[in-house]
Amino acid sequence: MSTTANVQETSVDSEVLTEIRGNVLIITMNRPAAKNAATEAMAKDMAKILDDFEANDELFVAVLTGAAQTFCSGMDLKGFVRGERPSVEGRGFLAITEQPPTKPIIAAVEGYALAGGFETMLACDLVVAAETAKFGIPEVKRGLAAAAGGLLTLPSRTHRAIAMEMALTGDIYSAEFGHAHGFVNQLVPEGEAVEAALKLAEKIAANGPLAVRASKRVIVESSEWDESEKFAKQSEILDPIFTSKDAKEGASAFAEKRAPQWTGS
């Protein structure tokens, strides 16, 4: 396996691990003894990793997961008591909840995705979860609130009533509940979330990278557009795609019955 410029595979004792498979970056939160509870150091590591991912033209998609069959149990409370916050100014919890990458990112969830871990999952574009995964924003049980995006993002990823129930009860919910209510895309057998997420990532990575990023941008930003300006604003983002070299390559590859060779230009 070869690495590309900027992003480097990390050593097994790091709190955030990276691995590259083709055009896909795998990011693994790595504090298994603490159920991958997020620390300030993890947030700083994530900021650098995500910056490098964005800057690397050879990486098209990322998969975010957790070590030892757990996604992330939220904020490290011992660090919180010491005055630490696992956030980066302007970027949010684990440097992702306020400013996700412009490239697609898929959460591969085994075990628990709770509190900030659940909010980190919501910052991803797609979610593949094991059938045994558990979700929740239990902050109210600790006298806190889901301030890392859960209260803002969850209503748009499911129904308002479901978001209200989860936020106000602080209860833990099953993977089946998440799938039924729209914030989980795929359910897979226990232990298979990463491989299933990689298959999904490879499907996305086989497509034109400019078109993929532009499509994500329209979906993310269009909820804030006035009805009268939607198509005009969409055109500003999509028109350059139709005149790109990749668009011509995609048409040529289809006509010639071969796989396209994307250049991202």
Side-chain angles (χ1 to χ4, degrees):
M1 181 185 305
S2 63
T3 59
T4 51
N6 297 326
V7 177
Q8 300 295 322
E9 294 180 1
T10 48
S11 61
V12 294
D13 58 351
S14 299
E15 289 194 350
V16 185
L17 308 179
T18 58
E19 178 186 354
I20 294 170
R21 296 195 193 179
N23 299 112
V24 179
L25 174 66
I26 305 171
I27 306 168
T28 304
M29 295 172 281
N30 186 44
R31 297 188 71 229
K35 298 189 182 299
N36 301 320
T39 65
E40 186 175 292
M42 285 176 68
K44 291 177 180 178
D45 287 347
M46 281 284 289
K48 184 179 186 308
I49 288 166
L50 293 173
D51 284 345
D52 290 346
F53 168 60
E54 285 278 62
N56 193 323
D57 292 337
E58 296 180 37
L59 295 175
F60 296 171
V61 187
V63 170
L64 177 63
T65 192
Q69 302 299 296
T70 296
F71 187 73
C72 175
S73 58
M75 175 174 61
D76 184 86
L77 293 181
K78 293 179 181 178
F80 174 73
V81 170
R82 292 193 301 267
E84 297 179 7
R85 293 290 183 92
S87 302
V88 173
E89 183 71 28
R91 300 177 65 160
F93 191 91
L94 285 177
I96 191 172
T97 57
E98 291 181 32
Q99 192 181 65
T102 63
K103 297 177 182 179
I105 184 164
I106 303 168
V109 181
E110 299 278 355
Y112 289 98
L114 301 178
F118 181 70
E119 293 165 300
T120 297
M121 183 199 84
L122 290 178
C124 298
D125 301 296
L126 300 166
V127 178
V128 175
E131 294 166 341
T132 50
K134 302 291 184 183
F135 306 102
I137 40 177
E139 283 89 341
V140 290
K141 293 182 181 292
R142 302 167 189 154
L144 301 171
L151 303 180
L152 298 171
T153 305
L154 185 57
S156 66
R157 295 287 286 267
T158 184
H159 306 295
R160 179 183 181 276
I162 295 301
M164 193 71 78
E165 176 186 331
M166 293 182 72
L168 300 187
T169 65
D171 286 345
I172 308 302
Y173 294 83
S174 68
E176 289 82 359
F177 179 93
H179 189 251
H181 292 290
F183 58 82
V184 172
N185 294 87
Q186 295 182 15
L187 288 180
V188 297
E190 184 177 11
E192 297 183 15
V194 171
E195 288 307 313
L198 283 169
K199 288 181 181 177
L200 183 57
E202 288 163 2
K203 285 184 179 181
I204 296 169
N207 299 326
L210 292 179
V212 166
R213 293 176 74 173
S215 296
K216 171 179 172 173
R217 183 180 169 192
V218 170
I219 291 172
V220 169
E221 295 182 9
S222 60
S223 62
E224 304 296 325
W225 297 344
D226 291 334
E227 194 68 32
S228 62
E229 64 182 4
K230 283 187 174 181
F231 278 93
K233 284 189 170 292
Q234 176 181 261
S235 292
E236 291 175 8
I237 297 169
L238 297 188
D239 284 356
I241 303 302
F242 285 85
T243 58
S244 68
K245 292 180 181 178
D246 275 357
K248 295 175 183 176
E249 167 62 12
S252 297
F254 178 80
E256 296 165 13
K257 297 181 180 179
R258 59 173 174 81
Q261 301 297 312
W262 309 118
T263 61
S265 61

